[in-house]
């Protein structure tokens, strides 16, 4: 299986990011890669499946509070999407994969 690099979204981070874009930012930061089926994997030799898609990774990031944003884009309280790097970086790839799996099966 050939994996491709995940680039961060090209638009400004001062704007409200979609769930897929949040997944792109997190995956890019960790150096994860994308499989042809859209799944996110960690590792180049020993591949660990992290999430079934970037959108799933982004939605779980919001649930787990690895990222935060206003409930409605462009609402009065809507500011940029905030990435909680300390919370996200404190977790191993295995912990993140487990939390993603736990939030997608529920």
């Amino acid at each position: 299986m050939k994996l491709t690099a995940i680039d961060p979204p090209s638009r400004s981070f001062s704007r409200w990011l979609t769930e897929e874009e949040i997944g792109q930012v997190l995956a890019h930061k960790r150096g994860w890669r994308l499989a042809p089926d859209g799944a996110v994997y960690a590792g180049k030799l020993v591949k660990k499946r992290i999430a079934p898609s970037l959108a799933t990774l982004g939605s779980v990031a919001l649930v787990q509070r690895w990222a935060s944003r206003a409930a409605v884009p462009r609402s009065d309280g809507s500011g940029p999407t905030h990435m909680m790097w300390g919370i996200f970086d404190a977790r191993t790839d295995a912990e993140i994969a487990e939390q993603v799996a736990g939030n997608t099966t529920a």
Side-chain angles (χ1 to χ4, degrees):
M1 157 182 30
K2 183 176 180 182
L3 303 178
T4 60
I6 298 172
D7 293 323
S10 59
R11 70 181 194 188
S12 168
F13 291 107
S14 64
R15 299 185 60 178
W16 201 74
L17 300 177
T18 66
E19 290 175 0
E20 184 173 351
E21 288 171 327
I22 291 170
Q24 282 180 272
V25 171
L26 295 175
H28 177 76
K29 169 86 163 55
R30 293 294 277 256
W32 294 337
R33 301 177 76 70
L34 201 61
D37 67 355
V40 179
Y41 283 86
K44 291 183 180 179
L45 297 176
V46 178
K47 297 170 178 75
K48 170 76 176 160
R49 185 180 168 133
I50 301 296
S53 69
L54 289 170
T56 301
L57 179 59
S59 65
V60 171
L62 293 169
V63 169
Q64 293 293 325
R65 298 191 184 268
W66 303 331
S68 68
R69 64 180 183 198
V72 178
R74 302 191 196 337
S75 67
D76 290 337
S78 178
T81 303
H82 296 284
M83 307 309 285
M84 307 301 185
W85 294 121
I87 296 169
F88 183 68
D89 288 342
R91 279 139 184 82
T92 65
D93 292 348
E95 288 173 315
I96 292 169
E98 183 179 308
Q99 290 176 336
V100 169
N103 278 290
T104 55
T105 59

